[in-house]
Amino acid sequence: MRQGAQGSADTGNPWAAVGAAGAGVPSGQAQASARVPQQAGAVRGEHTHSEPPLPVVPRARPVVQRASVRGQILAALRAALVAGDLRPGEVYSAPVLGERFGVSATPVREAMQQLALEGAVEVVPNRGFRVVERGVRELAELAEVRALIEVPVMLRLARTVPAERWAELRPLAEATVRAASSGCRATYAESDRGFHRAVLSLSGNEQLVQIAEDLHRRAQWPLVGGGPGIRGRADLLADAHEHAALLDALVARDLDVVRALVGEHFAGAAAAG
């Protein structure tokens, strides 16, 4: 559950993997090579000269809507941020990224503009988008805000949620262990957010869930000077096993243990920077 900001050295081909994740493939399968379906840019009058030709396939592919392509690219870029493949301080242009994904620059540009709204990148006029440089202090501030929001909620849930409801979350906790075993930082980050989202959803407060997930995602972005491989498989596994320990404490309604586990989690997130 400690949120390191660096990627893993075991990501393989990140651009193929994140494309699979963006297409809705479960996180455990996100390492399979896949390409985002090419957009029918010529029909819409968009520039397509730099795009590679589509491979020959034995059967027709379904038509992918524009919004679907944009959503897949956004998910892929978010995964690339977590994995450290989009490095802090570096500038990336939409046409170049579009060539990597096999689409036109338009959906990439739209996805990058969304990331700019989220604070992950900033617009560089006539050049593209620069990945925001973050330091340890910002990570510590995010950890503090997350603790202020999530600790009281989890303590309340520990008092009120029956044991059988917590048992329903065991598969999600186990899924985080499998994701950590892959050694892929982006795959684990997605699974980790899924577990926390499920826990907080029991509060019935959708606004709280959305705010907490936004903070969680931002805490997973890389730091200045960070790079792939600094946080390895063993660290991810130790992190993932804490989810089961938290569920045990919630079932037992042991508030002291719940408070300690969640507190250590956020303290570890700040120290990981």
Side-chain angles (χ1 to χ4, degrees):
M1 288 161 46
R2 291 183 295 275
Q3 307 305 315
Q6 292 78 21
S8 168
D10 300 311
T11 56
N13 183 341
W15 301 105
V18 295
V25 177
S27 60
Q29 302 174 13
Q31 299 307 299
S33 294
R35 291 173 66 85
V36 176
Q38 188 168 3
Q39 186 184 25
V43 177
R44 303 180 61 87
E46 297 172 356
H47 177 70
T48 60
H49 297 298
S50 61
E51 298 175 14
L54 283 171
V56 177
V57 293
R59 57 186 175 81
R61 292 181 178 180
V63 176
V64 179
Q65 298 300 318
R66 178 184 179 84
S68 176
V69 173
R70 183 171 61 247
Q72 291 177 45
I73 295 298
L74 178 59
L77 291 172
R78 283 173 171 166
L81 275 170
V82 174
D85 300 309
L86 295 180
R87 291 180 152 325
E90 294 292 327
V91 177
Y92 298 88
S93 71
V96 171
L97 290 176
E99 289 181 6
R100 295 191 185 187
F101 288 123
V103 299
S104 72
T106 301
V108 176
R109 187 175 295 109
E110 292 170 347
M112 278 295 204
Q113 288 169 347
Q114 176 60 38
L115 289 179
L117 292 176
E118 296 174 5
V121 302
E122 55 189 10
V123 178
V124 180
N126 302 319
R127 292 186 61 196
F129 301 85
R130 178 185 291 111
V131 178
V132 172
E133 298 180 286
R134 305 186 318 129
V136 175
R137 178 175 178 177
E138 181 176 343
L139 190 63
E141 291 174 350
L142 285 169
E144 181 180 4
V145 175
R146 290 187 65 201
L148 290 171
I149 293 175
E150 294 191 36
V151 171
V153 173
M154 289 193 184
L155 291 176
R156 175 166 60 85
L157 294 176
R159 299 186 187 97
T160 59
V161 175
E164 55 269 21
R165 294 298 304 277
W166 295 123
E168 295 173 359
L169 302 189
R170 290 286 179 184
L172 291 177
E174 294 166 358
T176 65
V177 175
R178 292 193 297 272
S181 297
S182 74
C184 175
R185 181 75 182 111
T187 300
Y188 176 70
E190 180 183 350
S191 182
D192 184 35
R193 288 198 312 274
F195 174 81
H196 282 268
R197 181 169 58 249
V199 171
L200 296 177
S201 292
L202 294 177
S203 69
N205 188 329
E206 184 60 30
Q207 298 303 312
L208 180 147
V209 173
Q210 292 179 9
I211 291 172
E213 182 160 9
D214 177 66
L215 292 170
H216 195 165
R217 179 180 287 111
R218 290 171 61 190
Q220 295 171 334
W221 295 340
L223 298 182
V224 173
I230 294 180
R231 196 163 188 239
R233 183 181 287 102
D235 298 313
L236 298 182
L237 282 169
D239 210 58
H241 284 300
E242 291 182 2
H243 294 143
L246 176 61
L247 286 180
D248 290 339
L250 290 167
V251 169
R253 296 190 173 183
D254 191 330
L255 302 187
D256 290 335
V257 174
V258 170
R259 185 183 293 106
L261 283 171
V262 180
E264 290 172 4
H265 160 48
F266 292 118

